[in-house]
Amino acid sequence: IATFRGHVGEVSSVVFSPDGQQALSGSWDRTVKLWDISAGKEIRTFAAGEVSVFSIAFSPDGRYMLAGSRNISLWDIAAGKEVKKLEGKVNWVRSAAFSSNGKYAVTGNFNGVINVWEVADGKQIGIFKETTGMVSSLAFSPDGKLILDCRYDGPLKLRDMETGREIHQFAGQGAAVFSPDGRSILSGGAGNSLKLW
């Protein structure tokens, strides 16, 4: 339908705003761009990364974004300004997600570590370490109690948000999401199919 042009490096992450009217794109050119979907035009560019921007996430109210690069930072979208860098040990953020109430965020690193954050004060409140590889995608359950931990080398894991304890494993990998009611999971990976759990 439309092609949006403006980045000068590979686009590594894209996400729609909660109302579907805008989108964010993160790129290897160290920027995040905000787009008007209906007009197909760039609204704003954020200099959001010291290096490539690998992950982005809209807050549920559409006011803020997380931008993951060498570190993770919270931005006020309307003002176009960084609000804060989240305080904690990170190692090249590959994936990020907000909880449905916007109070918490979760990020996954290239070295397999998952960090849980309290957004209001930017403090790390949990860190879950794994021996397996890069975290390719993360998602909160709609009630905010569970985290879906997906990696390229699998398996897909369901975790308790507060403790990081593994509750269940699924034979999925690569990327996964919860259904809106939280009762199902859709996953994809290296194969040519999707799996519904």
Side-chain angles (χ1 to χ4, degrees):
I1 299 173
T3 300
F4 302 162
R5 302 187 189 282
H7 284 294
V8 294
E10 182 174 326
V11 176
S12 53
S13 184
V14 294
V15 63
F16 272 104
S17 62
D19 64 7
Q21 301 302 304
Q22 298 176 334
L24 290 167
S25 59
S27 172
W28 288 12
D29 65 12
R30 304 181 184 187
T31 69
V32 172
K33 291 185 182 291
L34 179 67
W35 303 91
D36 181 309
I37 295 297
S38 60
K41 293 186 178 178
E42 180 184 326
I43 300 169
R44 171 174 283 129
T45 296
F46 306 86
E50 300 169 18
V51 291
S52 302
V53 178
F54 295 108
S55 61
I56 47 176
F58 257 111
S59 64
D61 62 8
R63 294 179 57 198
Y64 299 99
M65 75 166 175
L66 288 172
S69 181
R70 182 176 288 156
N71 52 42
I72 184 78
S73 54
L74 182 73
W75 290 73
D76 182 311
I77 293 174
K81 296 188 178 184
E82 183 180 85
V83 176
K84 66 184 70 156
K85 280 191 171 44
L86 302 190
E87 297 176 21
K89 186 170 178 58
V90 296
N91 184 343
W92 300 94
V93 178
R94 179 62 183 90
S95 52
F98 279 96
S99 62
S100 59
N101 62 11
K103 290 183 178 180
Y104 303 103
V106 64
T107 58
N109 302 339
F110 275 74
N111 65 354
V113 173
I114 294 173
N115 301 85
V116 183
W117 313 87
E118 196 161 36
V119 175
D121 61 11
K123 301 287 187 187
Q124 179 180 289
I125 59 172
I127 183 166
F128 313 143
K129 296 181 180 179
E130 280 284 324
T131 56
T132 54
M134 179 177 67
V135 181
S136 54
S137 74
L138 291 166
F140 274 99
S141 60
D143 64 8
K145 294 180 180 178
L146 302 173
I147 294 170
L148 200 53
D149 169 6
C150 202
R151 297 162 192 257
Y152 286 117
D153 55 1
L156 174 63
K157 296 180 180 180
L158 196 60
R159 297 183 180 276
D160 180 278
M161 191 281 280
E162 292 184 355
T163 65
R165 181 177 62 86
E166 181 184 314
I167 297 168
H168 196 73
Q169 284 191 13
F170 303 90
Q173 62 187 90
V177 293
F178 279 101
S179 62
D181 65 6
R183 297 179 61 191
S184 302
I185 292 168
L186 187 64
S187 69
N192 298 324
S193 62
L194 299 172
K195 291 182 180 180
L196 185 65
W197 305 91

